[in-house]
Amino acid sequence: MKALWLLFTAILKMTVRNKPALFWMLAFPMIFLLVFGLFNMDKMTVGRVILLDQAQVEESKEIVKAFTEGETFEVIEGIEADDIQGAKQKIIDSEADFAIVIPEEFKNLVQSNANIKEQAAQAQAMMMRGVNYHPPAPVAEPETVSLELYYNEANATMNPVVINVIEQITTKINISIAQTPEIVKLDKQPVTDRRIRYIDFLIPGIVAMSLMQSAIVGIAVFLTEAREKKILKRILATPINRRSYIAAQVMARLAITLLQAIIILAAAYFIYDVKAYGSYWNLSLWALLGTTVFLMIGFIIASFSKTTSAAESLSQVVSIPMLFLSGVFFPTSSLPEWTQKIVDYLPLTPVIDAMRAIAIDGKGFNETLGEFWIVGGWILATFIIASFSFRTARE
Amino acid sequence: MASKAVIKVSDLRKNFAKTKAVQGISFSVAKGSITAFLGPNGAGKTTTLEMLEGLLKPSGGTIEVLGFNPVKKPDEVKRRIGIQLQTANYYQFLRLKELLVLFASFYNRKVDADKLLNIVGLADKKNAYVDQLSGGQKQRFSIVSTLVNDPQIIFLDEPTTGLDPQARRNLWEIIAEIKRQGKTIILTTHYMEEAQYLADKIFIIDKGKIVAQGTTKQLIAQLPNPYRIEITSAKKIKLEKLRALSGVISGTVATNTTGEYEYSLGTKNIHQTLPAVVKYLEKEKIAFEDIAVAPSNLEDVFLTLTGKELRD
């Protein structure tokens, strides 16, 4: 037990004392954070929107108002409500980021909804007067109306933010129209308060990326070096068992990556005022889950690498493709569909998705169960491979 | 043997994929003694040691270390022994003191790191990293790291290889001091002076077999040529003529850096051979710079037994 603790603290000490490695462990994500943050903060995160309100009813004006009032969007004026072609041209010319069309049918939707409400009110009034009221056959369920959204697919950094916000607005509208129209007014408020900028989208990706890097490279290089220099052999010449040695490794690495995640989140908070809307406990839990998979991958790499440099390159071969494919910097939805299907099952993707769901959408852990099963599967698979390959590898 | 044997080995074998590293060796080690395995690289010294330490599984034969079989009870053996590996490396970013405390914890023990470091003269380096030590200091540290569990037997695999003569002597003193504390020491070396200086018993090992064993004196006495006559001359002498002299068993010649010839003649009967050599040189009017008589050493034993130099 004491050996486990001493080994745990020894690994922490070594990590902190290895100044160049420590520098890169923190500098790498920080550089991304600073560079991407500076580039996109002011210009790109204000979405320029064209609103084509063809319905012109009170409710549609409320939606337009929601966009006009907030700071998240800059509304571009001067396009006729039925000039969809003109709006598209603006997007192509990069004078606007996207256009939303509220079609005329929206008027009918609101109207039919009002009828339902009136009938309900009548029924209630009659019941209060004690009249045995037989309601007329219910009016058909209000039909749905699609808001049309035009955007430039090349605008990869803007789109996830915009689509996210619009999805939130439309869900709220759908709910409110189907129930009581007044709620539209109340619900638009949180939408404008919660401005989602590119940096908010980026930070969970950077956290996941850095924990992947430090877990894979950390464990693979540390163990390969210990084997290459016969440090491992010297340790196994003592009665300490392999299991304690590995347990101490895993615990120390989990602590290190968690600390790293906290530092990045703190930097993001202080520099860019990035806050998570969900629970930080759930974010930490996901950081630990992600680290576990990557540690196992690190163990597998260590058991297949003869030299430290081989372990280093193999770690890069495994982590770099995930870094670019799994949506650290842009959403995976911009990838071709078939690639996306594969990428969704890479271990980094669900970790990033879950962290974003918690940080940006304020979701709970229960709502990230889909990602949890994928990552859980990876943990199980890599654990089995790691325990076999590490046992057979000669120290 | 009077004292108790702490290690008993019988017909030990180890086959690797391509080589038969150890081919049936048997020996025992007395408590409190220093035993040296002397042999060239690749003779099977390290392989033998690692089997005794429980790090390598033998292909055949039996081993008993302090009453335990290292194959079946490796932890019982590991708990009671101290091991220094041939290439001594330790974690880079831990201080000497921290390393000793850490290693002691692997044995579930507490250790007075300062006291241990003092034994090997590294007390003032307790806060240094291993990488900041000189070669000799590193070896001293690697020896003291074997003491953290107060072991009964200490295995040292080539403890002085690559050190300068002064550092080597310094290490011999430390090893002798550890022996005085009542510990049994087993070491491998390819320096015959080292075996000669330290060992109570020497096993000469070559190609996985023990080719001779005993104390230095016994090994030299076994030789057909326990004495050497060494002649240094500026002029070349015919080696066949020297070899033909009375009592000469072996003869070699080499040139030294100043271009002189150095002859070495092995003999058993010095009384007979020395006058014959002097007489021959006078008769041939060969001026010699120097003539010396010396007992043979382990190098000669090795050369005679295996037909090759120790440090090939």
Side-chain angles (χ1 to χ4, degrees), chain B residues 31-84:
Chain B
K31 186 167 188 272
S33 67
I34 296 184
T35 302
F37 284 93
L38 186 66
N41 289 333
K45 306 187 297 283
T46 301
T47 309
T48 305
L49 239 55
E50 289 187 354
M51 287 191 281
L52 300 183
E53 293 158 353
L55 299 180
L56 209 57
K57 255 189 195 136
S59 310
T62 59
I63 308 173
E64 208 183 289
V65 176
L66 296 164
F68 295 99
N69 179 345
V71 180
K72 285 181 185 147
K73 303 258 179 200
D75 283 353
E76 295 295 333
V77 172
K78 284 176 185 174
R79 235 186 284 283
R80 292 168 174 81
I81 63 172
I83 298 174
Q84 185 224 23

Side-chain angles (χ1 to χ4, degrees), chain A residues 38 46 51 57 91 99 157 165 184 215 220 238 251 257 267 290 386 388-389:
Chain A
L38 288 176
V46 175
L51 294 157
V57 287
I91 295 170
T157 53
V165 170
V184 173
T238 72
M251 276 159 39
T257 48
F388 275 106
S389 62

Side-chain angles (χ1 to χ4, degrees), chain A residues 20-37:
Chain A
L22 185 71
F23 173 77
W24 283 112
M25 214 170 98
L26 292 173
F28 193 56
M30 286 302 170
I31 288 168
F32 276 115
L33 189 138
L34 288 172
V35 168
F36 279 83

Side-chain angles (χ1 to χ4, degrees), chain B residues 61-115:
Chain B
T62 59
I63 308 173
E64 208 183 289
V65 176
L66 296 164
F68 295 99
N69 179 345
V71 180
K72 285 181 185 147
K73 303 258 179 200
D75 283 353
E76 295 295 333
V77 172
K78 284 176 185 174
R79 235 186 284 283
R80 292 168 174 81
I81 63 172
I83 298 174
Q84 185 224 23
L85 298 173
Q86 204 177 105
T87 39
N89 269 304
Y90 293 88
Y91 282 129
Q92 213 177 345
F93 292 104
L94 289 183
R95 308 186 194 288
L96 299 192
K97 204 176 159 175
E98 291 169 341
L99 277 168
L100 291 182
V101 172
L102 180 66
F103 269 86
S105 80
F106 296 164
Y107 295 94
N108 234 337
R109 272 171 185 266
K110 267 198 176 145
V111 82
D112 186 345
D114 296 274
K115 202 174 140 193

Side-chain angles (χ1 to χ4, degrees), chain A residues 232-264:
Chain A
L232 197 56
K233 187 173 183 177
R234 178 67 184 86
I235 287 174
L236 293 176
T238 72
I240 192 178
N241 62 35
R242 241 170 234 250
R243 220 169 291 143
S244 315
Y245 180 75
I246 289 171
Q249 291 287 344
V250 170
M251 276 159 39
R253 296 287 149 186
L254 286 174
I256 290 164
T257 48
L258 196 58
L259 214 62
Q260 199 185 1
I262 290 170
I263 292 171
I264 296 167

Side-chain angles (χ1 to χ4, degrees), chain A residues 87-371:
Chain A
K88 278 186 184 170
Q89 195 55 48
K90 287 262 180 199
I91 295 170
I92 292 164
D93 297 344
S94 281
E95 284 170 35
D97 294 309
F98 61 104
I100 297 170
V101 180
I102 306 171
E104 259 193 280
E105 297 92 79
F106 188 79
K107 208 191 298 182
N108 306 340
L109 179 71
V110 174
Q111 193 54 49
S112 69
N113 202 63
N115 289 344
I116 296 172
K117 209 197 152 204
E118 205 177 305
Q119 283 171 7
Q122 262 178 22
Q124 204 175 11
M126 284 179 157
M127 269 154 75
M128 278 171 76
R129 275 184 287 164
V131 176
N132 193 5
Y133 172 73
H134 297 281
V139 186
E141 283 287 302
E143 321 143 44
T144 55
V145 171
S146 302
L147 299 187
E148 284 166 52
L149 173 71
Y150 297 95
Y151 60 99
N152 188 349
E153 267 191 291
N155 197 350
T157 53
M158 192 67 227
N159 291 338
V161 182
V162 168
I163 293 169
N164 198 314
V165 170
I166 291 174
E167 266 169 7
Q168 286 183 24
I169 294 177
T170 51
T171 342
K172 300 265 158 61
I173 291 169
N174 280 338
I175 292 168
S176 56
I177 287 182
Q179 289 165 359
T180 50
E182 284 81 9
I183 289 176
V184 173
K185 253 184 231 162
L186 300 174
D187 273 5
K188 72 172 191 274
Q189 210 49 43
V191 172
T192 46
D193 271 359
R194 217 160 105 181
R195 293 157 36 207
I196 293 158
R197 302 160 299 166
Y198 176 62
I199 191 84
D200 298 298
F201 168 85
L202 182 69
I203 293 302
I206 295 224
V207 169
M209 169 199 83
S210 63
L211 66 86
M212 168 182 77
Q213 293 277 39
S214 68
I216 295 185
V217 177
I219 205 88
V221 170
F222 190 87
L223 286 179
T224 312
E225 193 180 14
R227 191 173 52 216
E228 195 182 17
K229 291 170 121 188
K230 299 204 173 166
I231 296 168
L232 197 56
K233 187 173 183 177
R234 178 67 184 86
I235 287 174
L236 293 176
T238 72
I240 192 178
N241 62 35
R242 241 170 234 250
R243 220 169 291 143
S244 315
Y245 180 75
I246 289 171
Q249 291 287 344
V250 170
M251 276 159 39
R253 296 287 149 186
L254 286 174
I256 290 164
T257 48
L258 196 58
L259 214 62
Q260 199 185 1
I262 290 170
I263 292 171
I264 296 167
L265 287 175
Y269 175 77
F270 287 115
I271 303 173
Y272 296 119
D273 195 33
V274 173
K275 283 172 240 168
Y277 287 95
S279 132
Y280 277 98
W281 290 114
N282 285 338
L283 273 184
S284 310
L285 191 60
W286 266 105
L288 292 179
L289 280 170
T291 306
T292 311
V293 186
F294 299 126
L295 284 180
M296 294 302 152
I297 294 175
F299 274 114
I300 297 172
I301 290 173
S303 49
F304 285 111
S305 309
K306 284 206 170 68
T307 63
T308 312
S309 53
E312 257 162 22
S313 0
L314 205 52
S315 303
Q316 301 303 346
V317 166
V318 172
S319 61
I320 297 282
M322 282 201 271
L323 184 86
F324 288 110
L325 289 174
S326 290
V328 172
F329 305 108
F330 50 83
T332 52
S333 53
S334 354
L335 291 167
E337 207 172 319
W338 65 270
T339 330
Q340 206 181 318
K341 272 186 188 137
I342 300 169
V343 163
D344 279 348
Y345 290 95
L346 293 178
L348 184 61
T349 318
V351 175
I352 295 180
D353 288 350
M355 284 185 147
R356 268 187 196 138
I358 292 165
I360 301 177
D361 305 332
K363 289 195 172 154
F365 190 80
N366 287 344
E367 290 163 281
T368 59
L369 278 182
E371 284 84 6

Side-chain angles (χ1 to χ4, degrees), chain B residues 13-304:
Chain B
R13 290 166 189 279
K14 180 70 191 179
N15 304 327
F16 291 117
K18 282 176 193 156
T19 48
K20 291 182 174 177
V22 176
Q23 305 181 37
I25 62 175
S26 307
F27 60 89
S28 66
V29 172
K31 186 167 188 272
S33 67
I34 296 184
T35 302
F37 284 93
L38 186 66
N41 289 333
K45 306 187 297 283
T46 301
T47 309
T48 305
L49 239 55
E50 289 187 354
M51 287 191 281
L52 300 183
E53 293 158 353
L55 299 180
L56 209 57
K57 255 189 195 136
S59 310
T62 59
I63 308 173
E64 208 183 289
V65 176
L66 296 164
F68 295 99
N69 179 345
V71 180
K72 285 181 185 147
K73 303 258 179 200
D75 283 353
E76 295 295 333
V77 172
K78 284 176 185 174
R79 235 186 284 283
R80 292 168 174 81
I81 63 172
I83 298 174
Q84 185 224 23
L85 298 173
Q86 204 177 105
T87 39
N89 269 304
Y90 293 88
Y91 282 129
Q92 213 177 345
F93 292 104
L94 289 183
R95 308 186 194 288
L96 299 192
K97 204 176 159 175
E98 291 169 341
L99 277 168
L100 291 182
V101 172
L102 180 66
F103 269 86
S105 80
F106 296 164
Y107 295 94
N108 234 337
R109 272 171 185 266
K110 267 198 176 145
V111 82
D112 186 345
D114 296 274
K115 202 174 140 193
L116 279 179
L117 288 170
N118 208 25
I119 298 174
V120 291
L122 288 174
D124 56 332
K125 293 277 181 189
K126 64 180 179 187
N127 287 325
Y129 297 145
V130 175
D131 282 14
Q132 297 166 332
L133 302 180
S134 72
Q137 288 171 331
K138 255 183 214 174
Q139 285 304 87
R140 264 144 63 193
F141 177 73
S142 116
I143 286 177
V144 79
S145 79
T146 66
L147 299 175
V148 291
N149 58 326
D150 191 21
Q152 299 176 44
I153 308 175
I154 293 165
F155 293 89
L156 307 173
D157 198 356
E158 298 195 5
T160 64
T161 298
L163 298 186
D164 60 72
Q166 202 194 335
R168 187 174 301 153
R169 279 221 156 251
N170 175 287
L171 221 60
W172 291 351
E173 295 308 324
I174 288 167
I175 294 169
E177 174 56 36
I178 293 169
K179 183 200 171 185
R180 277 194 285 279
Q181 292 176 6
K183 302 195 187 302
T184 309
I185 296 167
I186 294 171
L187 59 89
T188 69
T189 181
H190 49 223
Y191 298 114
M192 57 105 192
E193 316 94 286
E194 187 162 301
Q196 211 154 352
Y197 183 88
L198 286 172
D200 299 303
K201 190 163 187 184
I202 297 165
F203 293 101
I204 295 182
I205 184 163
D206 185 44
K207 291 179 189 154
K209 284 178 182 152
I210 292 174
V211 291
Q213 55 179 293
T215 62
T216 309
K217 262 189 189 164
Q218 286 167 348
L219 285 168
I220 291 167
Q222 285 170 18
L223 281 178
N225 50 349
Y227 299 99
R228 283 177 296 148
I229 298 169
E230 285 161 359
I231 309 151
T232 310
S233 162
K235 212 175 139 192
K236 196 167 178 177
I237 314 168
K238 278 194 174 144
L239 194 59
E240 310 88 73
K241 288 277 166 66
L242 287 174
R243 276 185 172 158
L245 294 171
S246 168
V248 175
I249 292 164
S250 63
T252 57
V253 62
T255 47
N256 64 16
T257 45
T258 54
E260 292 169 324
Y261 297 93
E262 288 185 342
Y263 298 88
S264 175
L265 305 174
T267 176
K268 192 171 184 91
N269 193 340
I270 198 79
H271 310 287
Q272 186 188 344
T273 311
L274 188 59
V277 169
V278 174
K279 209 170 135 194
Y280 173 76
L281 294 175
E282 276 174 352
K283 198 182 88 190
E284 297 290 313
K285 295 199 169 56
I286 295 167
F288 51 88
E289 322 297 321
D290 200 12
I291 185 159
V293 177
S296 289
N297 56 32
L298 287 173
E299 192 92 41
D300 301 304
V301 175
F302 196 81
L303 192 67
T304 312

